[in-house]
Amino acid sequence: MGVFGLTTRRSNGLHKVMQSQWRNLSSSKTINGDDSILPVLIVGAGPVGLTLSALLTKLGVKCAVLEKSGSFSKHPQAHFINNRSMEVFRKLDGLAEEIQRSQPPVDFWRKFIYCTSVTGSILGSVDHMQPQDYDRVVSPVSVAHFSQYKLTRLLLKHLESLGFHGQCGEGLESLSGSKILMGHECISINTTANSVNVTASFLKEGKYMKKDIQCGILVGTDGAGSTVRRLVGINMRGERNLQNLVSVHFLSQKLGQYLMNERPGMLFFIFNTDAIGVLVAHDLEQGEFVLQMPYYPPQQKFEDFSSEMCERLIYKLVGRNLADMDVIDIKPWVMHAEVVEKYLSCNSRVILAGDAAHRFPPAGGFGMNTGIQDVHNLAWKLASVVKGIAPTSILSTYEMERMPIANFNTALSLENFRAAMAVPAALGLDPTTANTVHQVINNTVGSILPSKVQKSILDGLFAIGRAQLSDFILNKNNPLGSSRLAEVRRIFEEGKSLQLQFPAEDLGFRYLHGAVVPDSDRMEDAPNAPTGRRRDYVPSSDPGSRLPHMSIRALSKPHSEEMVSTLDLVSGDKVEFLLIIAPVESSYHLAQAAFKVAQDFNASMKVCVMWPDGTVDAVARSKTALAPWDNYIDVVEVRQSATLKSWWDLCQMTYRGAILVRPDEHIAWRVKSRVVSDFTSEMKKVFSTALGFDSIYQ
């Protein structure tokens, strides 16, 4: 009696606090009408910002996007979409399926090829697709190779279907949501007791104009050079200026056709006496490529990389002339490995996500993917605050959960970067030596000799280094060259070269602290240190883990062969928790208590009753056991192979356990073998933690 009374009073008190917090955050008149204060403003219309706007819109939250560029870039940039990001895109009404239909055939991009030129000798190749990558046992969707600008187009198309439209400065009187404001740069951010005031600058009739926008929450997804991050004074920590590179975007259908026929691949690592670079084959059918080359300022200047110079370098790396080559764009960029010191500012009213919050080396493709998963974590929490389901304190769990993932992925990306250097080092081209030589020149003769002389010295030293790749040295009849080629083969055989897929990190990342209830009977294990090698994903139901995938079928359609994933049980259209139970009496009682507690918390919850493989008809039992609640579904496991585990075995639990899943498909709570006797008290504790109420009283 005392426990129930205390919990009830606490729940009521928390709701009063929560309602007061939201009123202070964005005023009572902002939630879903023609309001003067926009609930959420997103700065940056890259894939991360557009994904967040789509997720929020589906959850019923009004938002708008500011983008400082007047048009969307066609530079391919990121191109690998990992399993978890593809699972997020499955929530956006067929976006994942459209990506898979639109991407190049897998056989055109499954390999990394190491060679002396694109048309020359092959030093080795690595096939990054394994049989289990196709069978969809661990995920309902496969990875994809799809250029960032093409992904942006599909996201814009999806947003248009949700009622979004682009707009420039002309005629902009109010901002009620569902707009992407192109050519609008955020130039100042000020917070008040009730809102965030943003000033945007835009060009109108040749003159720069200003527009003030009020919002409840501002999310900065504006990239590695984030203006939002700078304006609120958030610093980054980590390793800066790892490498300066030039990115050359060019087209050549002849090169694409040659590679499709002779040696298809995604990445070509090219080493010869004239030049060194990495060629990214974005689309062989369209003949679209990006060449990445290191350069060393100030001796080498970006301005030196004219279209003509880049064409000459491409010829040297390809090994033949390309009559149809068309250089589209040339961009410099700097590789960093940094994470912000904090994700939230201004009392959680300003939030960072994506490259604005973390900058990784591109090796492993974790940059854009980590950003997409950032906003998947954030979207349901923002919606919970805007809709009055959770207090603003739930937003602190975004930083608690995502910052450790960013730190881990930074370390993993650095390991991948070092793995990418293994092959050139084995060939006698240790990249650290090149950087050391560059530093010595800068620190010694750099302040004495004219810049042209410095450049000549640097170019001469690099030419001597590249001489290690001559046919005279690099052949099996030369003892030195033979031993180097043997070392390269060993690197490939032992899986020590750069990898494409990281299933354990992609699907197996876990939130140890935040909106999760840890198991009471075990110590939390820190994640294994990154190795840079592929490790298989092992399904887990540990709190904070992504819900394991299994094929299931709805018992309400006994004659249907349609199968879905357990991940599909989680709604993408509303903030709704999912409780998975087995059809046993104690679990039905738990579900009854959970329904009531969720209602008290103003939260939606659905129950999934998981029946064993072979069950034909058992709907009546759940209907009776769960009455009067009707938000439930009976499903049956579909085990397509005798070697596949049952659901509860897959989760390393017994059928008397239960799992509560958050709206982002991560597990908030579970009990492995038996449901606690005090159902109501346990569920109040669980929902209080999952919705961020606990931190109010801490």
Side-chain angles (χ1 to χ4, degrees):
M1 197 61 185
V3 172
F4 284 95
L6 174 62
T7 308
T8 302
R9 288 195 299 273
R10 184 183 180 196
S11 176
N12 291 337
L14 286 167
H15 276 290
K16 290 178 181 177
V17 172
M18 175 194 70
Q19 291 162 2
S20 173
Q21 282 192 350
W22 173 243
R23 281 195 297 270
N24 289 337
L25 181 69
S26 56
S27 97
S28 60
K29 60 180 181 179
T30 67
I31 298 184
N32 276 315
D34 248 343
D35 319 311
S36 60
I37 301 180
L38 183 71
V40 179
L41 178 65
I42 301 164
V43 177
V48 174
L50 296 179
T51 298
L52 177 59
S53 61
L55 292 170
L56 287 175
T57 302
K58 283 179 65 65
L59 291 172
V61 176
K62 287 186 176 181
C63 60
V65 186
L66 294 184
E67 170 54 49
K68 68 178 180 180
S69 298
S71 61
F72 290 97
S73 172
K74 293 185 179 179
H75 200 89
Q77 296 173 281
H79 56 95
F80 179 66
I81 308 176
N82 68 20
N83 260 137
R84 188 62 185 130
S85 294
M86 288 294 283
E87 289 177 353
V88 173
F89 290 147
R90 288 181 79 246
K91 294 295 183 184
L92 298 181
D93 303 323
L95 180 60
E97 291 78 3
E98 191 164 1
I99 290 170
Q100 291 186 313
R101 287 193 302 269
S102 304
Q103 71 172 341
V106 174
D107 286 343
F108 287 175
W109 54 266
R110 60 190 295 163
K111 292 182 179 180
F112 289 176
I113 295 174
Y114 297 76
C115 52
T116 58
S117 72
V118 173
T119 59
S121 300
I122 293 180
L123 302 171
S125 65
V126 181
D127 188 341
H128 293 286
M129 299 300 288
Q130 299 181 6
Q132 62 265 35
D133 298 327
Y134 298 100
D135 57 21
R136 302 192 179 185
V137 169
V138 299
S139 176
V141 65
S142 299
V143 300
H145 173 48
F146 197 61
S147 300
Q148 180 172 319
Y149 78 92
K150 296 178 181 178
L151 174 60
T152 298
R153 286 178 184 171
L154 292 188
L155 284 165
L156 289 170
K157 177 182 172 183
H158 178 72
L159 283 166
E160 286 177 7
S161 72
L162 295 175
F164 264 76
H165 61 275
Q167 187 169 339
C168 295
E170 291 82 350
L172 181 62
E173 299 300 330
S174 63
L175 185 58
S176 58
S178 300
K179 291 183 177 69
I180 302 173
L181 304 182
M182 302 301 296
H184 284 66
E185 182 177 5
C186 174
I187 59 173
S188 73
I189 299 170
N190 295 288
T191 59
T192 69
N194 298 322
S195 65
V196 181
N197 296 328
V198 175
T199 301
S201 171
F202 60 93
L203 193 62
K204 181 178 180 181
E205 298 176 353
K207 295 182 180 179
Y208 279 100
M209 311 290 287
K210 292 182 180 180
K211 176 69 179 180
D212 293 327
I213 303 168
Q214 282 188 302
C215 61
I217 297 172
L218 174 68
V219 183
T221 60
D222 50 340
S226 172
T227 297
V228 173
R229 184 180 68 227
R230 176 178 57 81
L231 289 175
V232 296
I234 296 178
N235 297 317
M236 302 199 82
R237 296 172 178 170
E239 298 186 40
R240 293 180 55 82
N241 303 319
L242 292 170
Q243 183 73 65
N244 288 274
L245 297 108
V246 173
S247 177
V248 184
H249 178 205
F250 71 96
L251 301 176
S252 173
Q253 289 196 333
K254 288 189 175 182
L255 179 58
Q257 192 65 43
Y258 169 82
L259 291 174
M260 281 192 291
N261 294 332
E262 301 295 331
R263 50 179 71 169
M266 176 192 284
L267 299 184
F268 294 81
F269 297 84
I270 309 164
F271 311 98
N272 64 47
T273 56
D274 291 322
I276 294 170
V278 179
L279 183 68
V280 184
H282 280 263
D283 193 321
L284 293 181
E285 292 177 308
Q286 296 178 2
E288 184 169 33
F289 301 90
V290 169
L291 176 63
Q292 304 281 8
M293 297 176 293
Y295 80 105
Y296 297 85
Q299 292 80 17
Q300 296 176 341
K301 296 179 172 60
F302 169 68
E303 293 74 19
D304 296 336
F305 290 86
S306 63
S307 293
E308 293 76 16
M309 179 182 177
C310 289
E311 287 178 5
R312 291 195 296 271
L313 288 168
I314 291 168
Y315 292 150
K316 292 174 181 179
L317 292 166
V318 169
R320 63 170 61 172
N321 286 339
L322 300 171
D324 66 338
M325 182 170 60
D326 183 13
V327 174
I328 305 298
D329 194 15
I330 306 168
K331 288 186 175 182
W333 62 281
V334 183
M335 186 187 301
H336 306 287
E338 297 179 298
V339 178
V340 288
E341 61 186 5
K342 59 182 180 179
Y343 278 56
L344 308 176
S345 182
C346 306
N347 295 320
S348 300
R349 293 194 186 93
V350 179
I351 304 172
L352 300 178
D355 287 355
H358 40 71
R359 306 193 290 197
F360 307 146
F366 281 93
M368 181 182 72
N369 288 297
T370 304
I372 288 166
Q373 293 149 34
D374 283 344
V375 296
H376 190 227
N377 178 289
L378 179 61
W380 75 272
K381 296 173 182 178
L382 288 173
S384 296
V385 172
V386 171
K387 291 177 174 294
I389 299 169
T392 57
S393 54
I394 194 176
L395 298 177
S396 66
T397 68
Y398 165 66
E399 177 178 290
M400 294 168 64
E401 294 175 352
R402 293 305 300 174
M403 184 176 281
I405 303 301
N407 287 326
F408 183 92
N409 287 348
T410 302
L412 177 55
S413 297
L414 282 170
E415 287 294 326
N416 296 340
F417 176 58
R418 296 184 184 106
M421 300 299 104
V423 170
L427 294 172
L429 294 170
D430 189 343
T432 58
T433 301
N435 289 329
T436 300
V437 168
H438 184 226
Q439 290 174 5
V440 168
I441 291 176
N442 285 339
N443 296 334
T444 56
V445 300
S447 60
I448 303 172
L449 297 178
S451 58
K452 288 185 178 180
V453 176
Q454 293 181 49
K455 183 178 186 301
S456 296
I457 293 173
L458 188 68
D459 290 346
L461 291 172
F462 284 174
I464 293 171
R466 291 195 302 272
Q468 303 296 314
L469 302 168
S470 68
D471 292 339
F472 173 74
I473 294 177
L474 209 59
N475 72 80
K476 62 182 180 181
N477 296 319
N478 183 308
L480 177 60
S482 178
S483 66
R484 287 177 174 176
L485 292 172
E487 175 64 12
V488 169
R489 287 194 298 272
R490 185 187 65 79
I491 290 170
F492 294 143
E493 290 167 359
E494 296 181 2
K496 292 183 177 179
S497 62
L498 175 63
Q499 300 297 299
L500 175 64
Q501 294 201 68
F502 298 86
E505 291 79 13
D506 173 6
L507 296 173
F509 68 87
R510 180 183 169 212
Y511 304 137
L512 297 179
H513 307 286
V516 296
V517 181
D519 286 341
S520 58
D521 60 347
R522 59 173 288 185
M523 295 290 290
E524 297 300 339
D525 299 323
N528 294 325
T531 64
R533 300 196 194 184
R534 174 172 172 147
R535 297 185 292 198
D536 288 335
Y537 161 71
V538 178
S540 171
S541 65
D542 289 343
S545 300
R546 159 244 192 216
L547 180 70
H549 156 72
M550 186 179 199
S551 294
I552 54 174
R553 182 170 49 80
L555 278 176
S556 59
K557 303 175 181 178
H559 303 297
S560 172
E561 296 298 319
E562 180 185 4
M563 292 184 295
V564 297
S565 168
T566 45
L567 297 171
D568 296 326
L569 296 169
V570 181
S571 174
D573 299 320
K574 57 182 174 180
V575 178
E576 183 177 71
F577 289 82
L578 173 72
L579 180 66
I580 303 176
I581 62 171
V584 296
E585 184 177 1
S586 59
S587 296
Y588 281 127
H589 291 325
L590 171 72
Q592 285 272 3
F595 271 129
K596 181 63 171 67
V597 170
Q599 184 182 63
D600 290 344
F601 274 85
N602 194 30
S604 177
M605 190 193 78
K606 178 169 65 178
V607 167
C608 167
V609 183
M610 184 73 70
W611 294 81
D613 186 33
T615 303
V616 177
D617 185 11
V619 176
R621 181 175 177 185
S622 294
K623 183 176 181 179
T624 301
L626 294 174
W629 310 99
D630 58 5
N631 191 20
Y632 70 90
I633 183 172
D634 287 284
V635 303
V636 61
E637 305 168 349
V638 178
R639 296 167 66 185
Q640 297 170 301
S641 167
T643 61
L644 295 179
K645 296 179 179 180
S646 71
W647 169 252
W648 300 108
D649 287 340
L650 180 70
C651 294
Q652 301 176 48
M653 298 169 58
T654 76
Y655 69 95
R656 294 188 178 277
I659 300 171
L660 185 71
V661 188
R662 307 186 323 188
D664 63 352
E665 300 166 350
H666 280 257
I667 294 169
W669 166 88
R670 61 101 183 256
V671 58
K672 295 181 68 173
S673 57
R674 66 180 183 85
V675 178
V676 294
S677 57
D678 190 346
F679 303 132
T680 301
S681 179
E682 180 71 9
M683 286 296 97
K684 286 182 175 178
K685 180 187 76 173
V686 169
F687 275 97
S688 181
T689 300
L691 290 171
F693 286 105
D694 278 357
S695 60
I696 293 176
Y697 284 96
Q698 289 177 353

